[in-house]
Amino acid sequence: MAIDFRKELNARYEILTKSVEDIEKKNKSFPDGRINTRYRNGNTYFYLVNCESKEKYLTHEDDALIEQLIQKNYLNKVLKDAKTERKAILKMLELYPEKVAEDVYDSLPEWRKQYATPINLCDEAFAQKWMNTPYKRKPFKRGVPKFYTLKGECVRSKSEAMIADRLFVRGIPYRYECPLKIGNRVIHPDFTILRMSDRKILYHEHCGKMDDADYKEDMVERANNYSEAGIVLGERLFYTFESDKVPLDIRTLDRIIDAHYR
């Protein structure tokens, strides 16, 4: 399905309504009056203004009152903007159609879908098409152990199986060891990930033999390959690590997924 903007708008409206209610309740506890400020010689001076517009100079002994009135002023500005936004959302909900462009293809009978080519694929269809696009995987050498994921894929280690399974159960589209051409070289990232929020392609490498000196050199060379291709660490490239004494930390993996892959 396409993103349900009507649902998002309603959710935002509820958040704003709760904020309005909380601020209006909080405002009843604030003292009367407001704060005026003046600046002289780099110093700030505070004055209490009452309902008759008369000013009273406030000293440091009045810090609690100053804090309350400044908070009151801030909340009233938030209250004004929240009400304005809430009013705009109601107007948008009145104008927003029940059916959006992406829904047209989904609503077609199956026999029509066989002949119609959708202009805009919804997220689910886009991800499915991406995952189902054939690619040539890196071959397994004879005698090398194989490990299977929940999807039934064959991977090279228990940790890679764990990573694949965490991506799968969290609904993150991925390809295992899909070839990537960098200049005249072809590398096979452990996981090529489709981030659905912006449909960008990301890469996840699991460095599982950090005790092996030759392996670490290969990882450095691969990191340089990514850099040459403009694939920047922390933007489109992410790593997990383990050694003989320090296994893969699933909590670290989950934090990466939640922060970057959605």
Side-chain angles (χ1 to χ4, degrees):
M1 293 180 62
I3 297 174
D4 190 344
F5 287 107
R6 182 175 290 277
K7 181 179 179 181
E8 297 294 329
L9 288 171
N10 277 311
R12 180 64 179 166
Y13 184 86
E14 290 179 7
I15 291 172
L16 292 170
T17 297
K18 180 67 165 56
S19 296
V20 167
E21 292 173 352
D22 289 345
I23 292 172
E24 288 178 339
K25 181 178 180 181
K26 181 68 175 176
N27 273 346
K28 295 178 181 178
S29 66
F30 286 122
D32 294 332
R34 59 184 175 84
I35 289 289
N36 267 354
T37 55
R38 294 194 180 90
Y39 306 95
R40 289 194 301 272
N41 300 322
N43 296 316
T44 303
Y45 299 90
F46 298 97
Y47 296 84
L48 171 64
V49 182
N50 59 28
C51 59
E52 299 174 354
S53 297
K54 294 182 179 179
E55 289 188 340
K56 174 187 175 184
Y57 174 67
L58 300 176
T59 68
H60 287 297
E61 295 179 357
D62 301 306
D63 278 351
L65 176 61
I66 294 170
E67 181 178 350
Q68 285 184 300
L69 291 178
I70 288 178
Q71 181 68 11
K72 173 185 172 182
N73 177 262
Y74 159 70
L75 289 178
N76 280 330
K77 289 180 178 179
V78 174
L79 180 64
K80 179 182 177 181
D81 288 346
K83 287 182 175 179
T84 300
E85 184 181 352
R86 193 171 60 165
K87 184 177 180 180
I89 288 175
L90 285 176
K91 190 66 176 178
M92 283 188 282
L93 286 170
E94 289 178 10
L95 298 174
Y96 202 81
E98 292 292 337
K99 179 186 288 187
V100 296
E102 288 82 357
D103 293 336
V104 174
Y105 182 82
D106 293 339
S107 64
L108 291 176
E110 289 301 321
W111 66 271
R112 285 186 177 271
K113 287 182 180 179
Q114 295 177 17
Y115 296 95
T117 301
I119 295 176
N120 296 314
L121 287 174
C122 66
D123 285 348
E124 183 178 348
F126 186 88
Q128 200 63 44
K129 182 178 180 180
W130 182 82
M131 288 189 291
N132 290 340
T133 300
Y135 64 91
K136 188 175 181 179
R137 297 189 180 190
K138 184 178 178 180
F140 281 78
K141 294 180 180 179
R142 183 174 296 179
V144 172
K146 298 179 181 179
F147 302 84
Y148 290 89
T149 69
L150 292 173
K151 287 173 63 176
E153 293 176 305
C154 184
V155 297
R156 300 177 189 275
S157 70
K158 289 182 180 178
S159 293
E160 287 186 343
M162 292 168 65
I163 294 170
D165 290 344
R166 298 303 284 184
L167 293 171
F168 175 66
V169 299
R170 286 169 174 258
I172 308 297
Y174 72 88
R175 295 174 181 170
Y176 178 70
E177 291 191 341
C178 180
L180 171 66
K181 189 173 183 180
I182 297 178
N184 295 323
R185 298 184 298 274
V186 174
I187 64 174
H188 294 79
D190 291 335
F191 296 92
T192 302
I193 291 166
L194 173 63
R195 182 167 63 196
M196 289 310 304
S197 59
D198 56 9
R199 298 190 178 183
K200 281 189 176 181
I201 300 298
L202 313 176
Y203 301 95
H204 184 112
E205 292 282 6
H206 178 62
C207 304
K209 301 178 182 178
M210 295 306 294
D211 300 298
D212 186 323
D214 292 337
Y215 178 85
K216 285 191 286 188
E217 289 183 3
D218 289 341
M219 288 298 100
V220 172
E221 183 178 356
R222 178 169 289 205
N224 290 335
N225 290 337
Y226 280 118
S227 180
E228 289 177 21
I231 300 171
V232 179
L233 179 65
E235 292 182 2
R236 294 180 57 208
L237 176 62
F238 302 89
Y239 286 91
T240 45
F241 302 89
E242 71 175 310
S243 65
D244 288 342
K245 293 183 179 179
V246 183
L248 169 66
D249 189 339
I250 289 296
R251 296 170 300 176
T252 297
L253 173 63
D254 285 345
R255 284 192 286 268
I256 293 173
I257 292 172
D258 291 337
H260 302 287
Y261 295 173
R262 296 189 178 281

